[in-house]
Amino acid sequence: MNTTKILRHINAIRCLRLLHDGRSLSRADIARELGLTRATIGNAMNVLEDAGYVVEGETHPTEGRKGRPGVGVSLNPTGAYFVGVDIGPQVLTAVVVDLRMNVVSRIVEPTGPDFRDPGSIQERILDLVRRVTAEARVPEDKIEGLCVSVPGLVGRDGSVINAPFLEWRNYPLRQNLVAACDARWIVTVCNDAFAFANAEASRLSPASGGSVLLVLMAEGLGGAVIDAGTHMMGAHGFSGEIGHTAITVDGRTDTFEMFAGAKAFSELLDPDQAVAEGVA
């Protein structure tokens, strides 16, 4: 990809982010908000329109400026779809979301007794992906990718380094999923707290800078930092992982989440029940 195409791609992504909250903006509005020329925005919009990611709609007044009203551009929710799977010791959750992050279909089922076997869960993930996409009834060529969230440390290459509650270590989950999924898909494996923080950051207004400090209390204790829309990963990709901090209490040394995570309260929860449901 040459420099011109790379810049066009980057500008197209910036336009998508600006429109992600469902707003309809004219090309002139987008150019002003992003500090780019109308010609640059026009090129980026051509990319997005050709891909079916945006549609034209209502006209926008020129607010006292001369010239014809601008034509509004907004996200096309049916322009692309994405699959998400969350792994937990109690339940597996799979969803299909559209380009506006509306949930189109959802399947939640007990993880079962084989959660310690990553190969078995990997096959369950692939089966869930097949079923949830069939239930969504969306064109196969509109599905852009898969993201799997894991309650544990995930390396930059998508390998699960250590997931204490699943008892997984050094499992190449992303590599295996890439080999099994549609070759067109972008496949991502990430920590569950990061997935949560990234979703919350996407809801923030542009004025907030998209910065979030999140502490996730579920099976364990997770954390993630989003600064100006960017995940702060740290030197090894584990920034924010407060649950894995080693502490000593009454002579016993273990991780923070082993002392304070939901596993300590498992007797109070029903079997095969999500932690959030059990707490409620």
Side-chain angles (χ1 to χ4, degrees):
M1 186 180 291
N2 60 39
T3 303
T4 300
K5 288 184 178 179
I6 291 173
L7 290 174
R8 191 173 298 170
H9 180 73
I10 292 172
N11 290 328
I13 291 174
R14 293 181 67 193
C15 291
L16 279 179
R17 287 176 174 167
L18 194 62
L19 297 170
H20 84 277
D21 59 359
R23 288 191 294 171
S24 174
L25 298 172
S26 70
R27 287 169 173 77
D29 293 332
I30 296 172
R32 280 191 295 274
E33 292 208 27
L34 295 181
L36 299 172
T37 67
R38 293 195 187 189
T40 299
I41 293 301
N43 290 330
M45 282 295 137
N46 289 338
V47 173
L48 297 177
E49 287 179 339
D50 290 345
Y53 296 159
V54 298
V55 291
E56 293 185 343
E58 66 207 50
T59 58
H60 285 242
T62 56
E63 299 180 359
R65 294 182 297 274
K66 295 181 179 180
R68 294 178 300 173
V71 176
V73 180
S74 59
L75 283 186
N76 174 17
T78 63
Y81 297 86
F82 309 87
V83 185
V85 177
D86 180 66
I87 306 173
Q90 275 75 41
V91 295
L92 294 175
T93 303
V95 296
V96 174
V97 297
D98 65 19
L99 197 52
R100 283 189 182 170
M101 298 298 107
N102 300 309
V103 176
V104 178
S105 62
R106 182 196 306 267
I107 296 176
V108 181
E109 61 184 32
T111 306
D114 295 333
F115 67 86
R116 296 178 181 86
D117 179 0
S120 174
I121 297 301
Q122 178 182 298
E123 292 305 312
R124 293 275 304 281
I125 291 171
L126 293 170
D127 179 61
L128 273 171
V129 170
R130 285 189 287 269
R131 287 190 285 135
V132 78
T133 52
E135 184 179 281
R137 297 182 179 180
V138 298
E140 290 185 6
D141 62 350
K142 289 289 188 179
I143 298 176
E144 298 288 343
L146 166 68
C147 180
V148 178
S149 60
V150 181
L153 297 176
V154 178
R156 292 179 181 274
D157 63 351
S159 295
V160 180
I161 306 301
N162 184 20
F165 291 98
L166 300 177
E167 299 180 23
W168 294 9
R169 278 186 176 274
N170 301 316
Y171 187 74
L173 182 58
R174 180 183 177 276
Q175 179 181 338
N176 294 346
L177 292 175
V178 167
C181 288
D182 190 310
R184 298 178 302 103
W185 287 11
I186 297 172
V187 178
T188 304
V189 176
C190 67
N191 169 262
D192 55 356
F194 164 65
F196 202 138
N198 201 47
E200 288 302 304
S202 71
R203 299 170 183 269
L204 298 177
S205 68
S208 71
S211 297
V212 172
L213 169 63
L214 179 133
V215 176
L216 177 64
M217 295 182 287
E219 280 82 3
L221 295 175
V225 179
I226 306 289
D227 184 34
T230 300
H231 180 207
M232 307 303 291
M233 299 184 68
H236 303 288
F238 308 140
S239 177
E241 286 287 2
I242 61 170
H244 293 267
T245 303
I247 60 175
T248 301
V249 177
D250 295 332
R252 172 190 162 198
T253 300
D254 211 328
T255 60
F256 186 23
E257 67 182 6
M258 286 302 181
F259 282 108
K263 192 172 184 177
F265 310 97
S266 58
E267 294 181 359
L268 303 177
L269 305 178
D270 293 333
D272 300 329
Q273 185 178 44
V275 171
E277 294 176 357
V279 172

